[in-house]
Amino acid sequence: MIKQSDGIGLSAIISPENVIFISGSPSKEEAVRQLTEKMLPRVDGLIGRKALFERVAEVEKLNQVLESGFYIPHAKFPQLDGFQAVLGIIPEGFTDQATGLKVRALILLLSPHKPAFFQRHLNMLSLLSQTFQPELIDKLAALKEPAAAAALVTGK
Amino acid sequence: MVPNPRFKQVFVLSTAMLSFISFWKAAAIVLCDFGSSAYYSGGIAMRAYGPAFPWFVLGVMLFAGVMLAVYVESCSMFVRGGVYVVVRHAMGKFVAKIAVSSLVFDYILTGPISAISAGLYISYLAKSLLEMAGVQFPFSPNILAVVFGVAVIAYFWKENIKGVKESGDTNVRIVLFVAAIAVVLLAWSFFTIYVRGFTLPPFKLEFSEEALGWSKHISWLQPIGMIGIFMAFGHSILALSGLESMAQVYREIEDPKVPNLKRTAIIVFIFSVLFTGVLTFLSSLIIPAELVAGEYSENLLSGLALHLHGPYLARLALQILVVISGGLILMGAVNTSFVGANGILNRVAEDGILHDWFRRLHPKYGTTSRIITMVAALQIVIIILSRGNIFLLGQAYAFGVLWSLVFDTLSLVVLRFKETEIEREWMFPLNIRVKRYQVPVGLISVLVVLLITGVMNLITKPTATIAGLVFTAVFFTIFQVSEKMNEKKAQLYKPDEDKDEELNLRREADIQTVVPELTKARRVLVPVRNPNNLHHLTEVLETADDETTDIIVLSAKIAQGIQSGGESMSDEDKEVFSAVVLLAEKYGKTVKPIFVFSNDPFFSMAQVAQAAGVDEIVMGVSGSTGAEVQMERLAMAWGMLKKPDAPAKPVLARVVWEGRQMTYQLS
């Protein structure tokens, strides 16, 4: 049985160091690419550049923008022991071609590819989609600093 | 719960709750047709072959138990069964068209014979009351019965055009009232016999000239011995009318289907033996024979009430109650004739052997008004032509009853050899295993009895034979021509714009309007998409407790950029709904089908689940994404729609596929 309530908070995965602001109105692929670049040093020694980009690109085809306008490209890697995340904020936003929704915040989430971790992976996806509602995204888009964005998201 | 205003609402199409009925209600529906023959079969049999009639009516009622068992086997094979489906599977469409033509003849005659019989009971009561009041008003009960019959047919024609369907509750009330009167009649009859003593009716066949038909001209076919017994049996067989109702009602019977069908059959059997068989028998013991053949040949049970031992006013009161109960059950049978004929003709129309012209829906009520009007017109013509002669109607009636039973039984015999792999939850007894076949000795014996009786009826009932053959030929021709026309039309197929109405869909403002229909303690949401991938729904239907669980079946159509609410279902979408309905009928469990237009099926899944407060979501595995991705999408949609102040009710999400499942608890 996989249970959702396991007490993981967003502060465990979001800090000023893994928040980036993306200027202009990039394509979805470009936004994900920038988040992957930012992710690379965080998984250095565990996942190679090629493997990371290829896997993210592969699973990105299956991921969908949520109705709230929030996007969570996510992938699982057996080399990881915990979550790794990069939050991207795009004040101007981009329009998702598949859904027609305007995306101004997205988070690249990497999770351990281990059966026992799948419950926490689902819990995290649920928590992220619950947290990043249109009101919060509006506020994030108005910010300039990663630290302020991390504080707003984590409530600290 | 108010819908989350931040998100675009899904557009919802909903059908009525697919609910199922208890075996009590099913038995009541069958008895409203099958039980009604108690009011006229005895009198018709008496006029045909004399004082031995109670033995044969009782015998036919005992034989009804055998035929009910035949129907249990056929229903256990085909949820949406009945004569047409069984014969088509066994012997193909050509023979099925002949069989269903004779069945339609049976259903159409059910209306006139029931309406005339009710009219005769009322007419004779009116005559008694007028005579008691000293009023001399000469009138013919038969003419009054014709007027009454036409009025009854007109009433039920109008009601059926409006779409007033048979209500199981109404049928239960009618049958309970009739049963109460039957108990009084039985108890009072036994008391009368105790006081007066009795003499058993002679087992002596005295055929009327009319009842011998063409056999008078066949020297070797004398009405004696076994030949006479089969002739008399044939003249009583009309008491079996209404068995097809059991096949029609089977799809509506709740879980567990076959055990409940058996219970239905047992109730119908006991009621029929006591009500039709025993009461007819008691009538012959209590009413003087000359009156059975004369004054009471058209209202036998009224005669029984009036000849019981006791004060006249009490007997008259009982006669009034008998007439009321007869009126109710016979008019129930008239309605059944409309519902049954309409249902069967719609069934064959779905199979492409009745032209779409007949199926055109009424612009206001959405009913198949042309079929209903055709049935009513035929019934009124038959009533007028009969001039209220119930004996004539009874003769003709037996044709449809008997030949539809012959085709049904013959088909079951054929299927034992043709479809050895098909699941039979119950088989008619007396079978001998020979290699992979269950040789149906019992069924073959029943078939032999029916065939001999059928041939005897063809010979002894010239009017019925001619009328039945002509009617069957006309309907068969209509089916043949329709099929050819539909084949041509299929090559020039155009989508039907009115398909939504055929599924009786209704458009809802949002999902909240559907929620009050869910009343059970536990709720399970089953999203469906592919009619060939319903393993998960099967698993839920097999395990859910229908008493405590509402099963909501959600079909979400991906419609990008939906805004207007003017979307409609495609044929593929309807195929999913039809597959769901068939599965629900197979297991007899209540389901609530909901169809939504959404740009994200997982969004609509989570939205419906949260709005309905479900306890469990059971998904089938997706071949394109796999169970893990399905769970991820559901988790995201669930979180996105979850309100911070929503109660932390645990909801189990499951992805089920052959032999495996993945579970996740949402909260």
Side-chain angles (χ1 to χ4, degrees):
Chain A
M1 172 72 70
I2 301 169
K3 292 192 176 179
Q4 194 181 37
S5 305
D6 58 4
I8 295 178
L10 290 182
S11 55
I13 63 163
I14 294 176
S15 63
E17 293 74 39
N18 57 2
V19 176
I20 59 169
F21 281 83
I22 300 171
S23 58
S25 183
S27 66
K28 191 167 85 169
E29 293 73 22
E30 173 57 21
V32 173
R33 195 196 62 75
Q34 289 196 34
L35 264 60
T36 313
E37 282 289 355
K38 180 76 175 174
M39 175 67 79
L40 200 54
R42 304 180 68 85
V43 295
D44 189 30
L46 295 171
I47 306 167
R49 179 185 180 87
K50 187 167 179 266
L52 178 64
F53 272 88
E54 279 182 1
R55 180 68 184 144
V56 169
E58 187 185 329
V59 296
E60 206 265 322
K61 289 174 195 161
L62 293 172
N63 295 327
Q64 288 180 336
V65 172
L66 298 175
E67 192 80 6
S68 54
F70 185 56
Y71 182 43
I72 317 175
H74 54 273
K76 296 193 283 291
F77 288 90
Q79 303 91 320
L80 296 176
D81 289 322
F83 289 115
Q84 293 294 343
V86 175
L87 172 64
I89 298 162
I90 311 166
E92 285 186 35
F94 66 82
T95 302
D96 176 46
Q97 298 300 314
T99 60
L101 293 162
K102 184 99 168 170
V103 178
R104 289 186 296 163
L106 69 166
I107 191 162
L108 174 63
L109 178 72
L110 304 186
S111 309
H113 197 180
K114 290 163 184 161
F117 207 89
F118 187 58
Q119 59 174 335
R120 285 201 264 173
H121 170 67
L122 294 176
N123 293 346
M124 183 54 72
L125 290 174
S126 183
L127 182 60
L128 287 169
S129 53
Q130 187 181 356
T131 305
F132 285 85
Q133 298 286 352
E135 295 86 348
L136 179 73
I137 294 170
D138 288 345
K139 288 177 185 170
L140 285 171
L143 297 175
K144 306 281 182 203
E145 298 297 325
L152 182 63
V153 171
T154 60
K156 290 184 179 174
Chain B
M1 189 191 289
V2 175
N4 190 331
R6 291 171 301 191
F7 303 118
K8 192 159 46 187
Q9 294 300 301
V10 294
F11 292 110
V12 181
L13 288 176
S14 163
T15 69
M17 182 82 80
L18 279 174
S19 55
F20 296 87
I21 58 175
S22 66
F23 60 87
W24 289 108
K25 275 188 189 173
I29 290 168
V30 177
L31 281 170
C32 263
D33 188 0
F34 191 61
S36 62
S37 58
Y39 288 84
Y40 51 80
S41 57
I44 291 170
M46 172 70 184
R47 277 187 60 177
Y49 55 86
F53 77 92
W55 296 108
F56 284 89
V57 173
L58 188 58
V60 165
M61 284 300 103
L62 293 172
F63 188 69
V66 173
M67 290 314 304
L68 284 163
V70 170
Y71 265 92
V72 171
E73 175 167 336
S74 73
C75 290
S76 74
M77 292 171 73
F78 305 100
V79 177
R80 287 186 173 191
V83 167
Y84 177 71
V85 174
V86 177
V87 178
R88 191 191 63 193
H89 272 86
M91 295 181 282
K93 265 188 180 179
F94 186 86
V95 184
K97 280 181 275 190
I98 299 172
V100 84
S101 300
S102 64
L103 183 64
V104 171
F105 186 57
D106 170 7
Y107 265 114
I108 285 180
L109 276 170
T110 299
I113 198 167
S114 303
I116 289 289
S117 183
L120 287 169
Y121 269 84
I122 291 167
S123 301
Y124 281 108
L125 174 64
K127 205 172 181 182
S128 299
L129 292 174
L130 287 172
E131 280 170 8
M132 195 178 75
V135 178
Q136 292 298 317
F137 183 71
F139 66 90
S140 160
N142 297 80
I143 297 301
L144 193 63
V146 168
V147 174
F148 178 82
V150 170
V152 167
I153 299 294
Y155 171 78
F156 282 108
W157 165 74
K158 198 176 167 192
E159 290 297 296
N160 279 275
I161 290 284
K162 284 196 283 187
V164 179
K165 295 211 170 156
E166 253 180 337
S167 155
D169 293 330
T170 308
N171 285 316
V172 168
R173 281 193 286 272
I174 290 173
V175 169
L176 281 177
F177 179 68
V178 171
I181 302 300
V183 167
V184 173
L185 274 172
L186 283 169
W188 202 339
S189 296
F190 282 118
F191 172 72
T192 303
I193 287 169
Y194 173 75
V195 173
R196 296 180 189 163
F198 69 92
T199 308
L200 283 175
F203 197 86
K204 186 182 170 193
L205 298 171
E206 296 172 3
F207 287 91
S208 65
E209 284 288 304
E210 194 180 3
L212 288 173
W214 290 320
S215 71
K216 287 178 289 188
H217 311 297
I218 305 171
S219 58
W220 54 268
L221 200 65
Q222 296 302 310
I224 49 172
M226 285 307 291
I227 293 174
I229 287 173
F230 273 108
M231 281 184 180
F233 193 69
H235 280 289
S236 318
I237 204 91
L238 79 160
L240 283 183
S241 170
L243 285 177
E244 177 69 10
S245 297
M246 198 163 88
Q248 301 303 322
V249 85
Y250 178 59
R251 59 187 281 197
E252 296 177 38
I253 292 179
E254 68 185 6
D255 171 72
K257 301 280 279 191
V258 172
N260 279 337
L261 181 70
K262 286 184 196 167
R263 291 181 191 119
T264 304
I266 290 167
I267 293 168
V268 170
F269 176 63
I270 292 171
F271 188 96
S272 306
V273 168
L274 289 176
F275 188 54
T276 307
V278 174
L279 273 181
T280 302
F281 205 98
L282 289 170
S283 300
S284 73
L285 300 182
I286 292 169
I287 307 171
E290 66 277 11
L291 293 179
V292 174
E295 194 176 339
Y296 300 121
S297 65
E298 293 172 326
N299 61 337
L300 188 67
L301 295 186
S302 281
L304 176 62
L306 285 173
H307 284 81
L308 294 170
H309 184 77
Y312 177 71
L313 281 179
R315 286 181 278 139
L316 185 66
L318 184 58
Q319 187 201 1
I320 292 169
L321 289 173
V322 165
V323 172
I324 293 170
S325 67
L328 288 173
I329 200 168
L330 288 162
M331 283 194 267
V334 175
N335 192 38
T336 301
S337 76
F338 275 101
V339 176
N342 188 34
I344 285 170
L345 289 171
N346 268 290
R347 188 77 52 83
V348 299
E350 285 164 14
D351 215 23
I353 66 167
L354 189 61
H355 195 269
D356 282 349
W357 183 88
F358 291 98
R359 291 181 76 200
R360 194 68 55 84
L361 298 178
H362 189 281
K364 185 173 178 187
Y365 300 114
T367 52
T368 45
S369 55
R370 289 178 178 176
I371 291 178
I372 294 166
T373 302
M374 179 180 71
V375 170
L378 283 169
Q379 289 183 334
I380 287 173
V381 167
I382 290 166
I383 285 176
I384 292 168
L385 287 178
S386 76
R387 297 180 188 176
N389 183 342
I390 198 144
F391 183 73
L392 184 70
L393 287 171
Q395 297 253 327
Y397 195 28
F399 179 93
V401 176
L402 190 52
W403 286 102
S404 59
L405 293 179
V406 167
F407 280 115
D408 199 45
T409 311
L410 174 62
S411 299
L412 283 183
V413 172
V414 172
L415 286 170
R416 286 287 189 92
F417 299 99
K418 192 178 172 187
E419 301 274 5
T420 52
E421 304 303 318
I422 200 165
E423 185 188 352
R424 289 171 177 83
E425 212 172 311
W426 190 83
M427 279 198 287
F428 191 89
L430 296 179
N431 304 295
I432 299 171
R433 181 100 197 170
V434 179
K435 294 183 179 172
R436 64 193 180 97
Y437 301 109
Q438 289 278 356
V439 178
V441 178
L443 276 176
I444 291 169
S445 307
V446 174
L447 179 63
V448 169
V449 171
L450 289 171
L451 272 173
I452 296 173
T453 311
V455 172
M456 287 299 169
N457 269 10
L458 288 178
I459 297 166
T460 59
K461 299 179 175 184
T463 312
T465 302
I466 294 165
L469 288 176
V470 167
F471 186 95
T472 303
V474 168
F475 258 79
F476 179 79
T477 307
I478 292 172
F479 292 146
Q480 281 289 95
V481 172
S482 291
E483 191 175 32
K484 295 288 173 203
M485 290 172 81
N486 282 342
E487 277 170 11
K488 280 183 190 169
K489 196 180 169 190
Q491 292 162 7
L492 305 164
Y493 178 76
K494 287 195 296 185
D496 190 339
E497 291 168 2
D498 295 321
K499 288 279 182 181
D500 275 9
E501 283 184 89
E502 285 173 30
L503 258 177
N504 202 16
L505 291 164
R506 59 175 203 265
R507 198 172 291 277
E508 311 289 358
D510 64 54
I511 204 70
Q512 293 297 328
T513 55
V514 179
V515 173
E517 293 176 33
L518 308 168
T519 54
K520 295 176 186 169
R522 187 174 151 70
R523 292 164 190 182
V524 179
L525 179 70
V526 186
V528 294
R529 190 169 179 183
N530 179 353
N532 300 313
N533 181 17
L534 296 175
H535 175 76
H536 59 304
L537 177 60
T538 304
E539 199 248 28
V540 170
L541 287 167
E542 278 174 354
T543 54
D545 179 357
D546 196 44
E547 291 292 310
T548 58
T549 311
D550 273 321
I551 301 168
I552 307 158
V553 179
L554 174 72
S555 178
K557 179 174 183 171
I558 299 170
Q560 303 292 1
I562 52 171
Q563 295 293 341
S564 65
E567 291 77 10
S568 63
M569 290 175 85
S570 67
D571 286 346
E572 289 77 16
D573 302 325
K574 285 171 186 171
E575 213 179 303
V576 178
F577 258 29
S578 299
V580 168
V581 171
L582 285 174
L583 259 188
E585 284 178 359
K586 183 179 175 188
Y587 289 95
K589 291 190 178 170
T590 310
V591 301
K592 174 68 189 173
I594 295 174
F595 186 85
V596 299
F597 295 93
S598 169
N599 50 13
D600 180 357
F602 291 90
F603 172 82
S604 50
M605 211 184 287
Q607 192 180 39
V608 172
Q610 292 186 9
V614 303
D615 300 275
E616 195 175 351
I617 302 170
V618 183
M619 295 178 275
V621 72
S622 162
S624 57
T625 61
E628 283 194 8
V629 173
Q630 285 174 268
M631 281 294 195
E632 287 173 347
R633 288 186 180 172
L634 178 62
M636 286 189 281
W638 189 265
M640 181 178 67
L641 285 168
K642 192 179 161 194
K643 290 180 178 176
D645 55 346
K649 178 186 175 184
V651 176
L652 187 70
R654 290 198 288 148
V655 179
V656 176
W657 64 106
E658 300 286 346
R660 289 187 66 190
Q661 69 169 355
M662 176 184 278
T663 58
Y664 170 57
Q665 190 167 312
L666 303 156
S667 61

